[in-house]
Amino acid sequence: MTAPPNRLSALPDELLSLILSHLSTNPPSLSTINDEPSTPLPRPNPPLKSLSLTSHRFRAFTTPSLFAHARVTLTSLSFKDPYPLSPDTHKPHFSEVESLLRFLSLHSLSPHVRTLLLSTSQDLGHSVPNLLPTPHEPVTTFSLGDFWPTLFASIRPSIITLLAPPPTLAFFASCGIYVGDAWAFNTPFHLLQLRLDSNQQGSDYPAPAPTGTLFGILPWTHCTLNEGSSLAVYNTYEYHSMVAPSIFNGRLRDTPSLPPRTLTALKSFDYIAIFPLYGQVAKVLSFLFILPQLQRVRTQLAPKRENRILEDASRVLRTLYSDLWMEFENTYFLIATNIVQAEWRSPIDELVCLDYQQEGLWESLGHGGEVMSEHWKTLGDGHWIKNAAEEEVEEAEAEAESPEPDAFGMGHMLDHLPDLAAPLPNDAATIVF
């Protein structure tokens, strides 16, 4: 008896592409970006991966999505040049990254990479001299040599995410960092994500600049910085005088770390943290106000409802809840007053406070919300825009109500069907997902 035809495989390419697009999902580096940073991130087993094993045709359709999100876990760091290094250049050697690039090139998969996640639990605070606080040496930035130019010459991700301990993140970002008070914060990981505009892909992908710094190599238009929880510092005496380990805090206590002309194409910035100190947020704001094209700022400064950190006695210890919420309210008042007062010198025209969307937090935000509502147009749920023409308000409201599209779905896979007649190696899934 003849087996019945496989009706799914009999569909034309256009219908098959539409059906399979509903199986495409965003990676954890995108879907969990507002959560407290931790490692390892979950490794999903998407339905597309199973479907790709059933036939050469399905594999050709699913490959662009399966290899759109590359992920590398760095387990060791070595340097090509022994110390002492020149003061402005470090030349790191990452065998895992080199293996990824060779694999992608060998199987003609490089064009499909849309996002890249680099994660590590290795703390470089005591491995790289330029990261340590020094009382007399001026703050300098340094280059990673040809690491970033080589990476972006091989693949063209429109999103790159770094998940690492704060000193290691500063190393990747070519920044100094003050770690003198890091013990008090006990923050194991920070997350940094940089994005290009959605229209800067394919043939419109910008040419990487001949620079060794991550911030300067591409005209990034969006940045998310998630600095995790500062809950531990509230257990210390005079916690308000402590300096968080952050790329916004240079190796000297009161000096900025990021170099001038950094992120000049940035249009939006998300700052995520759990009860950050007032002084830390002030430094973030001072940097945002010098960005010439920044338009939108989003903040989240309290734990999400599903985060039970305040119920964990081992983390709360002697912390007074009144201190947490007082700092929280004062910080939002700082954000509101500074953004309103900076109208004449900053292009920022939109503020979204994600904490306002959590039931019960509206009253905790207090005077900050009142300041924003008094001076800017309120769109509801902690969303304000600078007073604008009526058509601009309607456009912003429509954008706020519409869900974000899946920027890395399979809608354009018909234009990128690869010629993959031979099976892929079994170790492919160990590098990318």
Side-chain angles (χ1 to χ4, degrees):
M1 180 177 178
T2 304
N6 186 325
R7 295 186 177 182
L8 183 62
S9 62
L11 293 175
D13 289 352
E14 292 79 7
L15 287 179
L16 187 59
S17 174
L18 178 62
I19 293 172
L20 297 185
S21 67
H22 293 281
L23 299 178
S24 178
T25 58
N26 281 332
S29 58
L30 298 180
S31 59
T32 64
I33 191 169
N34 284 21
D35 298 340
E36 186 176 2
S38 63
T39 187
L41 290 175
R43 285 186 176 273
N45 187 18
L48 286 176
K49 184 176 180 180
S50 300
L51 183 63
S52 70
L53 303 176
T54 61
S55 74
H56 289 304
R57 186 178 181 222
F58 286 160
R59 189 187 65 187
F61 268 98
T62 58
T63 293
S65 183
L66 286 176
F67 291 91
H69 309 297
R71 173 177 183 165
V72 182
T73 300
L74 305 174
T75 58
S76 62
L77 172 67
S78 60
F79 292 90
K80 295 181 179 179
D81 292 343
Y83 289 116
L85 295 172
S86 62
D88 60 347
T89 302
H90 290 295
K91 296 182 178 180
H93 174 70
F94 300 111
S95 59
E96 297 91 347
V97 175
E98 294 176 357
S99 297
L100 168 68
L101 298 182
R102 283 197 302 269
F103 172 83
L104 294 173
S105 176
L106 178 63
H107 300 288
S108 302
L109 296 170
S110 299
H112 301 308
V113 176
R114 294 292 177 264
T115 76
L116 174 65
L117 167 65
L118 297 179
S119 66
T120 183
S121 58
Q122 185 174 357
D123 191 328
L124 297 182
H126 296 280
S127 302
V128 182
N130 278 24
L131 296 179
L132 297 177
T134 53
H136 305 296
E137 187 178 349
V139 173
T140 60
T141 59
F142 53 86
S143 165
L144 298 189
D146 60 356
F147 173 70
W148 293 119
T150 299
L151 180 67
F152 286 102
S154 303
I155 57 177
R156 294 184 167 188
S158 56
I159 299 179
I160 184 166
T161 304
L162 304 177
L163 175 63
T168 308
L169 185 69
F171 171 77
F172 280 115
S174 298
C175 297
I177 183 172
Y178 180 78
V179 296
D181 297 335
W183 61 271
F185 289 84
N186 192 26
T187 306
F189 297 99
H190 284 183
L191 182 146
L192 174 69
Q193 185 173 99
L194 298 170
R195 297 192 186 198
L196 296 172
D197 269 342
S198 57
N199 60 358
Q200 294 177 300
Q201 300 180 23
S203 58
D204 295 324
Y205 194 86
T211 176
T213 65
L214 173 61
F215 286 143
I217 196 165
L218 289 173
W220 306 109
T221 58
H222 174 80
C223 176
T224 295
L225 179 63
N226 187 332
E227 295 194 318
S229 171
S230 294
L231 185 62
V233 76
Y234 290 87
N235 283 286
T236 63
Y237 180 68
E238 293 188 346
Y239 62 84
H240 52 81
S241 65
M242 295 292 184
V243 177
S246 169
I247 60 174
F248 286 99
N249 297 319
R251 288 177 295 146
L252 307 180
R253 293 176 64 96
D254 299 316
T255 56
S257 176
L258 297 174
R261 300 189 60 78
T262 291
L263 301 174
T264 54
L266 210 64
K267 297 179 182 178
S268 63
F269 184 91
D270 290 2
Y271 182 68
I272 313 298
I274 296 178
F275 298 119
L277 295 182
Y278 180 97
Q280 172 63 12
V281 175
K283 293 180 181 179
V284 174
L285 286 172
S286 65
F287 174 75
L288 298 185
F289 290 146
I290 67 174
L291 297 177
Q293 299 189 55
L294 186 65
Q295 298 174 350
R296 187 177 81 160
V297 174
R298 294 202 313 171
T299 59
Q300 178 183 299
L301 308 183
K304 297 172 66 175
R305 181 172 298 277
E306 55 269 25
N307 186 330
R308 301 298 183 181
I309 186 173
L310 294 181
E311 300 174 10
D312 187 344
S314 66
R315 301 189 68 177
V316 175
L317 297 177
R318 302 181 305 275
T319 299
L320 297 178
Y321 291 104
S322 58
D323 289 344
L324 297 177
W325 295 114
M326 179 181 66
E327 197 82 1
F328 179 79
E329 181 175 349
N330 290 341
T331 298
Y332 262 116
F333 184 71
L334 171 76
I335 293 173
T337 54
N338 275 265
I339 285 183
V340 168
Q341 293 173 2
E343 286 185 352
W344 62 274
R345 59 185 174 92
S346 171
I348 297 174
D349 58 11
E350 183 176 4
L351 174 65
V352 181
C353 299
L354 299 177
D355 295 298
Y356 276 62
Q357 300 172 12
Q358 296 196 55
E359 185 179 356
L361 285 186
W362 176 268
E363 293 182 359
S364 298
L365 293 161
H367 300 301
E370 296 175 4
V371 170
M372 292 305 303
S373 299
E374 180 180 349
H375 294 86
W376 284 22
K377 171 72 176 181
T378 303
L379 300 183
D381 291 332
H383 190 178
W384 296 273
I385 61 173
K386 190 183 299 185
N387 292 328
E390 189 64 30
E391 59 270 17
E392 294 178 354
V393 173
E394 294 176 355
E395 181 179 341
E397 290 175 337
E399 183 177 344
E401 293 173 358
S402 62
E404 286 192 29
D406 180 4
F408 304 99
M410 302 175 66
H412 301 290
M413 65 169 52
L414 290 175
D415 299 328
H416 303 286
L417 291 181
D419 182 12
L420 297 173
L424 292 174
N426 291 331
D427 64 348
T430 65
I431 300 181
V432 295
F433 62 89

